[in-house]
Amino acid sequence: MEYIAHIHTQFPEKFGIPRQSGLVDAKGEIVFEPKFRNPDAVKGIEEFSHLWLLWDFSKAHQEEFHATVAPPRLGGRERRGVFATRSPFRPNGIGLSCVKLTGVCLEESRGPVLTVSGVDLLDGTPIYDIKPYLPYADAHPEARGGFGQEHKDAGIPVIFPEELLTELPEELRGTVMDVLAQDPRAAYNKKPDYVYGMAFAGYDIRFVVSEGVLNVCGVQKRNGDWKTVK
């Protein structure tokens, strides 16, 4: 198979990426490879509100097959069959995400560019294929969610001091609050009062979790100076 496109997102590092697509209104931009920049290839795509993306876990390739994995949502201690999880460590590192299509733009230099939201992909992730989401066939409200369903409402209160929040552009503030409220920490690596760092949309954000509340304590524009609170 060959890559048809790459997606540019607000997540330059794995830490902080939403655990599933659609949980956070995070933005992305899909740019096709030169071979696939024919505008006819996306003709009619604007008729659909959502798209399926099939993509490559390009940073998680492994040579050896492991039949079981330890899902982070189960604390990293209980094991499940790899095909009963969405772990990136798979025989074929193929990811699947459902995203909202928010725009289609034809550019002279890059060809058709798709803007999407609800992404859960690392910046620069290669994409194998794009397919329209069909509500009548793809939506199953009666479906069972297994052990993953137990954690669908998992979250954490966030305190983001106003003097730090205003360091971010206004259009990023709601999204970063939602990302933090998902609690980026792995279930097996939750250290009280430890200073964590998360990269997001050109900014680094520091936070600690104390008594079940996430407190932002520093914001820095990359290659800039830290703004902190005590």
Side-chain angles (χ1 to χ4, degrees):
M1 293 194 297
E2 58 184 319
Y3 301 144
I4 66 163
H6 286 76
I7 188 168
H8 302 288
T9 75
Q10 299 164 314
F11 302 104
E13 300 173 358
K14 178 181 176 182
F15 186 76
I17 295 178
R19 293 180 175 87
Q20 302 293 339
S21 58
L23 296 180
V24 174
D25 187 31
K27 306 296 191 296
E29 185 181 64
I30 297 172
V31 179
F32 289 90
E33 292 296 285
K35 178 179 176 179
F36 302 103
R37 289 180 182 174
N38 187 330
D40 287 342
V42 296
K43 184 178 180 180
I45 201 170
E46 70 281 353
E47 299 175 24
F48 299 92
S49 65
H50 290 73
L51 304 172
W52 288 112
L53 306 181
L54 284 86
W55 46 276
D56 182 13
F57 280 109
S58 55
K59 303 298 183 182
H61 291 174
Q62 58 182 15
E63 296 296 328
E64 185 178 352
F65 170 63
H66 297 281
T68 63
V69 294
R73 281 302 199 182
L74 293 180
R77 298 179 180 87
E78 297 183 42
R79 301 193 74 82
R80 293 288 191 275
V82 64
F83 301 127
T85 75
R86 296 192 176 189
S87 168
F89 301 104
R90 322 185 66 78
N92 297 300
I94 298 174
L96 177 69
S97 297
C98 183
V99 298
K100 184 176 181 180
L101 178 63
T102 58
V104 182
C105 179
L106 182 61
E107 299 183 4
E108 184 175 351
S109 60
R110 300 191 297 172
V113 175
L114 308 181
T115 54
V116 294
S117 65
V119 303
D120 61 341
L121 292 87
L122 187 72
D123 183 42
T125 293
I127 295 177
Y128 286 123
D129 204 0
I130 299 170
K131 300 177 186 290
Y133 174 91
L134 301 177
Y136 79 90
D138 296 342
H140 300 277
E142 76 286 359
R144 292 183 290 117
F147 67 86
Q149 195 75 8
E150 301 172 12
H151 304 280
K152 72 179 183 68
D153 296 320
I156 191 170
V158 176
I159 295 177
F160 206 133
E162 187 69 20
E163 62 266 38
L164 297 184
L165 189 60
T166 54
E167 292 292 305
L168 301 175
E170 187 172 356
E171 65 271 16
L172 295 180
R173 296 172 192 171
T175 304
V176 76
M177 288 287 288
D178 290 342
V179 170
L180 293 171
Q182 295 285 318
D183 194 351
R185 302 173 301 160
Y188 53 83
N189 188 30
K190 294 185 176 181
K191 304 174 184 177
D193 300 317
Y194 178 82
V195 179
Y196 291 87
M198 184 186 82
F200 178 80
Y203 289 82
D204 289 311
I205 298 168
R206 289 179 179 172
F207 65 87
V208 298
V209 177
S210 180
E211 298 182 351
V213 178
L214 188 153
N215 297 271
V216 177
C217 57
V219 172
Q220 177 197 46
K221 189 169 185 178
R222 291 206 152 183
N223 302 318
D225 297 324
W226 280 101
K227 178 73 176 291
T228 61
V229 293
K230 295 183 179 180

